[in-house]
Amino acid sequence: MEINDLAPRPAAPAPTTLDTAALDGPALDTAALARAVRGPVLLPGDDGYDAERTGFQLADPHRPAVVVGAAGADDVVAAVRFAGAHGLPVAVQATGHGLAAGTDGGLLITTRRMARVTVDPVSRTARAEAGAVWGQVVEAATPHGLAPLNGSSPGVGVISYTLGGGVGVLARTYGYAADHVRAVDLVTADGRLRHLTAEGDPELFGALLGGGHGLGVVTAMEFALMPVARLYGGQLVFGAEHLDDVLAAYLRWTGTVPDELTSSVALIAYPDLPQLPEQLRGRHLAHVRIAYTGSAERGEQLVAPLRAVGPRVSDDLREMPYEESHTIHRDPSDPHAYDGDNALLSDLDAAALRRVVRLTGPAAPAMCVVQLNHLGGALAARSGAGTVGHRAARYALRVLSPLQGDDLGTVRALHAEALAAVEPWRLGRSVNFLFGRHGERPDAAEVARSVHDADARRRLAALKSRLDPRDLFRFHPAAAATRERTPAVA
């Protein structure tokens, strides 16, 4: 889907000034910090501060007292030790796509300079540093006939995506990206750089993969690559007159397709703007996205029931090299402001989905992009060491709205009403699809609890108590699940 031009671009964040002397702890000796790291150390008012703190998500950017642009793992270690010595909470940003809560004060570590990716075609593995994005991994892997378990957008950061589980283009065939991680390099609150594997530290290693927000700063990750060189995929796009029939057919169809087929449907009510292509302008459309690892001939047979619904606005299903997989979803590439929520569902019926469509369509008080992902397949298998929640979910329903001005309250109310329509099937939330400052909502505790079950939250809380008793890492709604009261673990 292309929503880059649907709304005016928000202005760049205004310069921020903070009274660092008012922070608790000793005076900030940032000159010493600057001598200890290779990357830049920036304070409010410095040249480059505003650009460094701003990522893809332009709503509610970080406003830290100190920014460290880490050039390597040693810089991360120095920054964490500095934050601990001065009592500064720590946040981390690579690309800022999934920014869940901006920091006010504290220390922000940006990892965009740590972007090295290496591929070992013999072991079918890749190693990505903390600032690497999926497009880099795809580019490095595809010459060897290999594919990572990347998401739909090539500009999304590898690390945060994987820590949240990672539902990607090949999700139903191979499962969560987190299930295929081989090793993690992590800086913990004590300033130690640890190399973690399932064999060496199964408790912490498993906790990171699906629940790692709030336990440290990942500086690099090694993960498996899949033997996939090409796909049959693309989009079937239907007009408003076919929406009800398309959605009913899609729900029936997802009960029949093999695990080798991963799909989703996006519902977008496009505004009537001159910068939009003619075939999109002012229309309410359903984009059915297909990624199938089998033959094109079999793919054509599998999608026949969807094509039978009626004429398409466009139909570009084709065989493609894996490096073109980003063209299936056509996610926006320009930074913008947005907010989003989601529900993981045990099932869904057509009547409830029709209600979601009515609530979020052209008559809605704010523009809303609705996406229904078909889950199951390898995603349901507990093959990995991680703590990804709600694996039994059959669907993920996502709602996202671009923000213009002070319309967050309207957007949140719209999202809540839309998700209420699927409440009978709701299992919880996916942390990967939470966008915006959900950690400060009135129901923030419920948001955190919805990501993991009670047993996983207890295990995460015990690790948090042992590894980060002062709560150094805190700026993520999922991290609240690690802060439930639990006895300290020796």
Side-chain angles (χ1 to χ4, degrees):
M1 60 187 174
E2 292 285 2
I3 61 171
N4 287 339
D5 299 316
L6 296 184
R9 287 284 169 268
T16 297
T17 57
L18 291 170
D19 180 9
T20 56
L23 295 168
D24 292 334
L28 298 179
D29 185 2
T30 54
L33 176 61
R35 291 192 296 270
V37 300
R38 290 181 289 138
V41 174
L42 300 169
L43 303 177
D46 287 348
D47 288 343
Y49 170 87
D50 287 318
E52 192 72 24
R53 70 187 176 96
T54 306
F56 185 85
Q57 161 70 291
L58 296 183
D60 190 32
H62 294 293
R63 299 170 184 82
V66 187
V67 185
V68 176
D74 289 346
D75 283 6
V76 176
V77 169
V80 170
R81 289 177 177 173
F82 178 87
H86 291 81
L88 297 175
V90 175
V92 186
Q93 177 168 282
T95 66
H97 272 74
L99 179 64
T103 69
D104 290 313
L107 185 147
L108 174 66
I109 299 171
T110 60
T111 62
R112 66 189 68 175
R113 294 167 183 81
M114 300 170 60
R116 187 180 179 195
V117 172
T118 56
V119 167
D120 183 342
V122 176
S123 64
R124 293 181 176 176
T125 59
R127 185 179 188 275
E129 291 184 334
V133 298
W134 280 118
Q136 295 175 258
V137 186
V138 171
E139 183 179 6
T142 53
H144 306 288
L146 300 171
L149 296 183
N150 55 289
S152 58
S153 172
V156 165
V158 171
I159 301 303
S160 288
Y161 165 95
T162 305
L163 293 180
V167 178
V169 176
L170 304 175
R172 282 177 39 81
T173 306
Y174 293 104
Y176 289 96
D179 292 340
H180 298 273
V181 174
R182 302 285 182 82
V184 176
D185 292 344
L186 178 77
V187 178
T188 45
D190 57 2
R192 286 179 53 200
L193 177 61
R194 307 176 186 223
H195 183 72
L196 304 173
T197 64
E199 297 74 27
D201 193 337
E203 183 182 27
L204 180 54
F205 180 78
L208 287 171
L209 303 175
H213 303 283
L215 294 174
V217 182
V218 173
T219 61
M221 183 179 285
E222 180 185 330
F223 46 88
L225 300 171
M226 306 303 146
V228 177
R230 37 74 58 202
L231 288 173
Y232 170 81
Q235 290 194 11
L236 302 172
V237 182
F238 295 87
E241 65 275 18
H242 297 297
L243 285 191
D244 287 352
D245 291 339
V246 169
L247 296 176
Y250 182 77
L251 290 177
R252 292 192 300 269
W253 180 76
T254 55
T256 68
V257 297
D259 293 353
E260 291 77 20
L261 198 157
T262 301
S263 69
S264 64
V265 56
L267 307 167
I268 308 176
Y270 290 93
D272 188 2
L273 296 175
Q275 62 263 45
L276 288 174
E278 182 70 31
Q279 70 269 26
L280 302 180
R281 195 179 304 162
R283 303 187 69 176
H284 194 193
L285 301 178
H287 300 249
V288 182
R289 287 82 64 90
I290 305 292
Y292 176 55
T293 56
S295 69
E297 293 76 14
R298 179 58 179 150
E300 288 282 306
Q301 295 170 0
L302 287 169
V303 301
L306 298 179
R307 282 186 167 138
V309 170
R312 277 82 66 199
V313 173
S314 65
D315 179 343
D316 68 356
L317 294 182
R318 68 201 185 279
E319 187 159 27
M320 66 178 72
Y322 192 80
E323 57 262 39
E324 295 180 9
S325 62
H326 65 279
T327 67
I328 295 173
H329 291 77
R330 304 167 203 168
D331 287 337
S333 57
D334 294 338
H336 57 288
Y338 51 94
D339 192 80
D341 202 350
N342 69 90
L344 295 173
L345 308 174
S346 60
D347 209 342
L348 186 59
D349 69 23
L353 192 50
R354 283 196 299 271
R355 175 164 173 75
V356 173
V357 173
R358 302 295 180 266
L359 290 168
T360 59
M367 181 184 174
C368 189
V369 177
V370 176
Q371 180 167 310
L372 184 69
N373 288 71
H374 181 209
L375 305 180
L379 293 165
R382 294 188 177 273
S383 58
T387 55
V388 177
H390 311 298
R391 287 178 179 264
R394 186 177 178 188
Y395 300 103
L397 182 67
R398 303 160 56 182
V399 288
L400 182 146
S401 295
L403 297 176
Q404 302 178 60
D406 298 323
D407 59 352
L408 181 58
T410 300
V411 164
R412 287 274 172 92
L414 173 61
H415 293 177
E417 188 175 12
L419 294 176
V422 300
E423 189 62 34
W425 303 278
R426 188 167 192 163
L427 299 175
R429 283 181 172 89
S430 166
V431 69
N432 280 139
F433 305 135
L434 274 173
F435 304 114
R437 193 183 276 269
H438 290 269
E440 293 187 358
R441 291 163 47 133
D443 59 345
E446 186 276 326
V447 172
R449 287 194 299 270
S450 69
V451 174
H452 299 290
D453 62 26
D455 179 65
R457 293 199 307 273
R458 281 192 294 269
R459 288 186 285 117
L460 290 169
L463 276 169
K464 180 72 169 181
S465 179
R466 174 161 60 88
L467 295 173
D468 186 15
R470 293 192 295 162
D471 197 17
L472 201 65
F473 308 112
R474 69 181 68 160
F475 290 103
H476 199 285
T482 69
R483 297 198 294 271
E484 294 183 357
R485 292 300 175 189
T486 185
V489 179

